[in-house]
Amino acid sequence: MDSITASERAHVGTAVTVIVPTFNERDNVAELVARTTAALPGRLAEILFVDDSADGTPVEVERVAVDAAVPVRVIHRTANTGGLGGAVALGLAEAASDICIVMDGDLQHPPELLPRLLERHAQGDADVVGASRYVGGGDSRGLGTRMRFGVSRAATWLTKAMFPLRLSRSTDPMTGFFLVDRRRIDLSTLRPQGFKILLEILARSDMRIAEIPMEFGERRHGTSKATLRQGATFAAHLARLRFGKMSLFAMIGVIGAIANLAIMWLLTTLGMDYVWAAIIGAAATIVGNFALQERFVFGDMRTNARGLGARFLTSVTFNGVEAALRIPLMALMVETWHISSIFATALSLVVAFFARFLFHSLVVYAPRRRRGTDAAGEPPVDTAAQRIIRAIDAEAMRPGEL
């Protein structure tokens, strides 16, 4: 009597690529491969490691691959572009199968759930199947401390609140263990930053999602990748996904404006003339805003833009000229309209916002000019008006819920 169930018999030929992004997970490779292959008997499968390690993980993968029951490949990236999410995006592009399962390399995601992910997807009503820590039967004790659990839950609630429609059927959009049908994703639209790639996929597409419960395991080897820096990257990426680049630019502008006003208030309280206080406040926030914009707003445009020094000088020069024009205007409002210098400064900062955003998008981070000709043999024409139209069009097409 055949011991294979009807469900298993129906899907024994289903090809699947298990994508494992790794960062210094050498000690986990052998066990992960053994448990993964044991969970997929008789299936057409491969394991694809996308590695950013510096501990010899690729060498260990190649060693284990020799005796593995399924094909095992490794892609070692020389540049950690997009973080773990970027590694997953590369894995999706390079996978041999359209059905892909993403899981971490730290063994906190139990490979024994692989068949259940495939069986749930085989029901035909979902493009993504997530392994959830929070659906009935799931367990998140592997997070460790109450602090980590609290941060994880708060981040999940925040994410669902910002995408109430697209994430309405997901209890754990932050999970790193999920199945996805690659054919339902336009990989060119993905702009991963950090380690929450499922959120990226769900936010940029109209995917049907189902879930199965997961008991989140404890880490066997290595250290957690969750850091304050990763948290800041996640917050910035969430804002970019929900609101778009211009709104993230505005958020940083608000932070800078508050800092500017605080510096002005402090200096004028200490007796400094308000004009000099405004100049010092503007100088401090110009540098601070550039650093934040460089990291969180225009990070995806830096590769093709001019060098850091040129970007900094161009940005500071523009902001300096803008401040030189804005501060006398602010002084004119104070002397003519007899309004508070703080209120006048706030008004002038709002007026300057759009000019700053367009200048940085179209000039500071514009791609370097390349020699070339069009089909008629003439140099390509790219006018400022065309760049402005493209910027407005791209902003209008940003993902999010209107």
Side-chain angles (χ1 to χ4, degrees), residues 134-391:
Y134 308 121
V135 75
D139 192 335
S140 59
R141 283 178 293 183
L143 286 170
T145 65
R146 291 183 178 179
M147 175 64 74
R148 287 194 64 196
F149 174 79
V151 169
S152 176
R153 287 299 279 171
T156 299
W157 290 332
L158 174 62
T159 303
K160 286 176 66 66
M162 295 185 76
F163 293 93
L165 298 180
R166 293 187 179 181
L167 302 183
S168 61
R169 296 189 61 188
S170 173
T171 64
D172 195 0
M174 319 288 279
T175 182
F177 193 10
F178 60 92
L179 177 151
V180 62
D181 185 344
R182 181 177 62 178
R183 294 166 295 189
R184 297 281 289 126
I185 306 173
D186 182 357
L187 297 178
S188 66
T189 66
L190 298 182
R191 300 290 186 273
Q193 293 290 329
F195 53 98
K196 299 304 179 185
I197 184 63
L198 179 58
L199 172 62
E200 171 86 9
I201 290 172
L202 295 176
R204 294 191 186 276
S205 59
D206 186 17
M207 306 281 273
R208 301 171 301 167
I209 184 169
E211 293 180 327
I212 64 170
M214 169 183 63
E215 292 187 9
F216 193 62
E218 296 183 1
R219 174 178 290 276
R220 301 290 186 85
H221 305 284
T223 58
S224 173
K225 311 304 185 294
T227 62
L228 288 176
R229 181 178 179 181
Q230 286 284 6
T233 299
F234 164 71
H237 188 49
L238 182 61
R240 184 184 296 111
L241 281 171
R242 184 60 184 87
F243 301 113
K245 196 179 291 289
M246 183 180 288
S247 293
L248 190 57
F249 185 89
M251 289 173 63
I252 291 175
V254 168
I255 294 173
I258 293 173
N260 193 334
L261 296 175
I263 292 171
M264 273 196 67
W265 174 84
L266 177 62
L267 294 179
T268 53
T269 301
L270 294 175
M272 182 178 288
D273 181 76
Y274 71 86
V275 173
W276 283 108
I279 292 173
I280 294 173
T285 54
I286 282 172
V287 175
N289 281 5
F290 175 81
L292 292 174
Q293 292 158 9
E294 180 84 0
R295 176 67 179 85
F296 296 116
V297 182
F298 299 106
D300 58 335
M301 300 171 66
R302 291 181 301 183
T303 302
N304 296 321
R306 292 172 295 176
L308 175 61
R311 296 196 301 270
F312 178 76
L313 289 176
T314 306
S315 176
V316 169
T317 299
F318 174 82
N319 284 296
V321 172
E322 178 268 322
L325 296 174
R326 178 174 56 80
I327 292 175
L329 179 61
M330 178 269 294
L332 180 64
M333 287 190 290
V334 171
E335 301 299 332
T336 303
W337 297 349
H338 305 291
I339 61 177
S340 163
S341 60
I342 301 298
F343 181 64
T345 299
L347 285 177
S348 65
L349 289 172
V350 171
V351 173
F353 164 72
F354 287 102
R356 287 179 177 178
F357 179 77
L358 288 176
F359 183 84
H360 281 77
S361 290
L362 304 177
V363 179
V364 178
Y365 294 92
R368 291 185 294 267
R369 293 186 179 274
R370 294 179 172 82
R371 297 182 182 275
T373 58
D374 59 19
E378 297 294 330
V381 177
D382 188 20
T383 66
Q386 290 173 332
R387 294 197 297 273
I388 292 173
I389 291 172
R390 284 201 305 273

